[in-house]
Amino acid sequence: MGRVALALVVHELLERTRDRWVMVISVLFALLASAVTLYGRQSGAEGAASALTGPSLVTLASLLVPLVALVLSHDAIVGERERNTLGLLMSLPVRRWEVVAAKFVGRGLALGLAVGVGIGASVALGGEGERGVLLSLLWPTLLLGLAFLAIGLLISTVTTRQVTAASLVVVVWFLLVLFYDLGLLGLLVLTDGSVSQDTIAALVLANPAGLYRMQMMEALTGPEVLQGLGMTVSLPGTVGSIGMWLGWILGPVVCSGLVLSARKVVQ
Amino acid sequence: MKRVVLRDVSVRFGKVAALTSMSTTVSSGEIVMLVGPNGAGKSTFMRVLLGLVRPERGELEIDGAVVRVDNAFKARLGYLPEAVAFSDNLSGEQVLRFFAMARGVSRARVGEVLSRVGLAQASRRRVGGYSRGMRQRLGLGVAILSEPELLILDEPTGGLDQEGLVVLYSVLNEWRDKGRMVLMATHDIAMLERRVDRMCVFRSGCLVADGSPSTLRREAGLPLKVTMTLASGGGAEVEAFVAAIGEWEGGSGEVRDGALHAEVASGELLGLMDLRGRHVGAVVDLRVEEPTLDVVYEKLLAEG
């Protein structure tokens, strides 16, 4: 990564931390994470972190972190285009894919701050025995955020107006985060349960939010919970898991770089 | 960099030919103004130089050597896009600092540029609170930050107040004096005509005229406007002079508000002076106006 790209990383981080929407959602995440942790502590149950606080925090993160990530990334490219600064950026001695990569890294760092503050608040407020469990959520939650950040970046690259990009990321959030599981349930109902367990499990894992939830549930409460939910297919191993996350994160970023590099006109 | 040549550049957007075999040269110490109607290809031409548009055909030559629009070339350019609007969340100083970091320019230079474009007082304010003219001045600051050899300006006068125009004019003068180059697309011909060395007239992706203001004025063949203030009180000498003008074949004129207003072909000016010399005392003052460049532009555009 060259000098321009490194400057862009710093610039993006600075700019995003001043975005009021990012601030609002990040603060909301931190407040709700703190509330969940305090509630878990008050319950006083042994192993509350694994049984109560952790799963609640996972549910909260699976809803809010994708939203923070999509808000962070939806205007990365299209916003520059609307401000007439994309051409200015590309007129610097930098390759087009480097701009995409720098935007992703800079905004990824801003996302890391938001996730870090949220989980950090939870860790700080958690009980002695809970902190390790809560801290273990940090990395997977960041991966979830990066996957949605990458999706938002791709949307930002292929759209020509910021309002279109904003609408699309809201649709993506509703589809992948809010209604995905309901959609799968609907599929089971419509097909009268004829869809195989393998297919349903594959469809759950094909969504980064689903993958995150399943992995965290298994990590926090053990595989028997998934079996209780009817998930008889085991989750991918470490290598498979890393591959899936890399696919979700790098796939859209690489596509964004290719789309921007292939474009005949940048303005 | 002494000479930049873009040769035989063609760009198509689908079925539309945005540029057709366009060629032009910018030399050291030269300010070149690109003019033409909207969609004529001015901005596209500049974007080819910036690497923002990939042409179907054409080559770039610097000081006699054919080169690619690569990072080494782009490091020598400064660019002001049309109606640029930076991130509302950052201050003017932060915007400039980013570009300074990206171009390897010192922090001290950021302060210099902020003063140069008249934004030193507002440097800590968020760009979101800037007026359009202030944003334009900030854009100009970004363009000149690294003291580029070739400055490319797209509609640089947009939104500028008188103070901003003075800044722009001083930048143009400095670039000329230091032997650098400026290429700018504009619709404000009247505002910039005294500042440029060459004007390129674009129409439908083609170059219809290219030359210095004096050359283009000559090519356009428009008459000079001559205003001669007549001696007060009339008198026989004045009447004789007016009558002589009426019969003169080199041009035409009319008396209005105590002055004779004549339109004279540039080659006939000496004949008019000769006529005036034969009626000493009839004329007490004389003013000759060349056609303005925007009138020349309209004529060349219509003919081209």
Side-chain angles (χ1 to χ4, degrees), chain A residues 15 83-84 90 264 267, chain B residues 12 47 56 74 82 85:
Chain A
E15 193 195 341
R83 290 194 298 270
N84 273 350
M90 299 296 184
K264 182 178 173 178
Q267 57 185 13
Chain B
R12 292 192 73 83
R47 287 184 186 137
E56 268 77 34
K74 289 202 282 185
E82 183 181 1

Side-chain angles (χ1 to χ4, degrees), chain A residues 11-157:
Chain A
H11 176 73
E12 288 292 313
L13 176 60
L14 181 67
E15 193 195 341
R16 288 301 93 194
T17 51
R18 286 164 174 250
D19 186 309
R20 67 172 182 272
W21 289 112
V22 175
M23 291 289 284
V24 165
I25 304 171
S26 303
V27 168
L28 183 68
F29 176 53
L31 288 175
L32 290 174
S34 304
V36 162
T37 311
L38 288 174
Y39 180 74
R41 270 189 83 172
Q42 279 177 355
S43 74
E46 201 176 317
S50 297
L52 192 64
T53 314
S56 302
L57 204 54
V58 165
T59 305
L60 183 65
S62 68
L63 287 173
L64 283 184
V65 171
L67 189 62
V68 177
L70 291 168
V71 169
L72 264 169
S73 60
H74 81 280
D75 66 341
I77 302 294
V78 76
E80 298 278 1
R81 186 177 293 150
E82 283 205 349
R83 290 194 298 270
N84 273 350
T85 46
L86 187 60
L88 180 59
L89 210 52
M90 299 296 184
S91 74
L92 296 171
V94 65
R95 292 185 185 92
R96 293 181 185 183
W97 66 262
E98 278 185 293
V99 169
V100 171
K103 289 249 171 203
F104 180 73
V105 173
R107 290 175 190 230
L109 289 172
L111 176 74
L113 277 178
V115 171
V117 167
I119 304 275
S122 185
V123 170
L125 294 170
E128 280 292 317
E130 291 180 325
R131 286 185 181 146
V133 175
L134 295 175
L135 195 60
S136 71
L137 296 178
L138 182 62
W139 179 239
T141 306
L142 192 57
L143 286 178
L144 171 73
L146 290 176
F148 278 91
L149 191 79
I151 293 169
L153 184 65
L154 180 59
I155 288 171
S156 185
T157 308

Side-chain angles (χ1 to χ4, degrees), chain B residues 165-243:
Chain B
L165 283 173
V166 169
V167 171
L168 174 65
Y169 296 155
S170 81
V171 166
L172 295 178
N173 289 340
E174 183 189 334
W175 252 247
R176 180 192 280 125
D177 294 345
K178 290 188 172 171
R180 299 177 191 147
M181 307 168 215
V182 180
L183 190 65
M184 61 179 169
T186 186
H187 290 293
D188 283 329
I189 301 171
M191 236 177 236
L192 293 165
E193 69 167 289
R194 287 166 52 208
R195 319 278 165 181
V196 302
D197 303 300
R198 252 182 53 226
M199 181 166 89
C200 296
V201 182
F202 283 61
R203 195 183 67 181
S204 305
C206 297
L207 190 64
V208 294
D210 181 357
S212 65
S214 57
T215 307
L216 294 180
R217 280 193 178 96
R218 213 168 30 246
E219 276 179 21
L222 290 164
L224 302 169
K225 283 187 179 169
V226 182
T227 307
M228 288 171 280
T229 308
L230 301 171
S232 59
E237 197 65 42
V238 170
E239 280 177 25
F241 177 63
V242 172

